Amino acid sequence: MRRLPPSLIALALLALTRAAPAEEAPTGEAPFGLAWGAVAEVPRPIKVEREANLTALYYPRGWGPAIGPATAEVVLVVCRDEGLQQVVWVGLPLSGEALARMRRAIHDEGVRRYGEPDPGGTRDSEVWRRGRALLATREAADGQRELVMTAFGPGYAACSGAHHAETGHPAGAHVADLIGSAGP
């Protein structure tokens, strides 16, 4: 397994943890230089999925915002009324010390920006409520794991409420599916 330099880890994390603080208005800086809220233009995705008020735009490694050296995939979630409200980053499959080092770097940067996280709803996950971000891992091939970091925009709660009204499940159920959790 090749070792990722700390500077590359920091760049990947920096892009992900630039979510707007909870008290901010419905627009602001989102990861990858995007803005929370209305979307005028996004890079062309490789795949688009729609369900009720959500549109998920998928970018594989090397496409659009998924250009970081530790990046496997990026998913942008655009809500019908609130615009861009979620950015999901999936890291390359890692194991052992490489995984632990990457996770520590992301955790430490999250603590620096938002304070101590709370335990997340799944094993090995953590949530920064002030920064509206989640860090978790999911299983990958050959016993490796992928880090999954998601940042939420200030209109995410309204978007999720509308999604729940239309589908019977909150928008967070899709992240739970992504990380292999039974709950939202």
Side-chain angles (χ1 to χ4, degrees):
M1 180 63 49
R2 87 181 159 104
R3 203 171 208 185
L4 294 173
S7 60
L8 295 180
I9 295 168
L11 284 173
L13 178 63
L14 181 64
L16 281 168
T17 59
R18 290 168 61 181
E23 60 276 358
E24 230 175 80
T27 61
E29 196 170 326
F32 305 111
L34 300 169
W36 298 123
V39 177
E41 190 175 314
V42 293
R44 183 183 173 129
I46 193 168
K47 178 172 92 173
V48 176
E49 290 183 346
R50 289 184 177 86
E51 182 182 72
N53 65 323
L54 301 180
T55 300
L57 308 170
Y58 292 83
Y59 300 91
R61 180 180 176 89
W63 281 55
I67 56 173
T71 302
E73 178 179 46
V74 169
V75 181
L76 303 180
V77 179
V78 180
C79 302
R80 181 180 329 142
D81 296 329
E82 297 79 12
L84 178 64
Q85 290 301 312
Q86 185 176 20
V87 176
V88 180
W89 173 86
V90 179
L92 293 174
L94 299 169
S95 62
E97 185 54 33
L99 176 65
R101 197 172 35 259
M102 174 73 91
R103 184 176 188 90
R104 271 194 310 274
I106 293 173
H107 169 85
D108 291 350
E109 182 64 16
V111 169
R112 185 184 75 73
R113 289 173 179 264
Y114 306 124
E116 288 296 325
D118 295 321
T122 63
R123 185 179 68 82
D124 203 25
S125 69
E126 49 196 333
V127 177
W128 285 271
R129 301 211 188 285
R130 192 176 109 214
R132 292 190 316 273
L134 165 78
L135 172 62
T137 60
R138 71 177 186 177
E139 288 185 40
D142 301 330
Q144 295 186 324
R145 311 233 3 119
E146 294 170 323
L147 291 168
V148 177
M149 181 89 181
T150 186
F152 304 96
Y156 183 78
C159 174
S160 184
H163 191 71
H164 188 269
E166 291 184 49
T167 65
H169 62 267
H174 299 287
V175 171
D177 289 344
L178 180 69
I179 61 175
S181 152

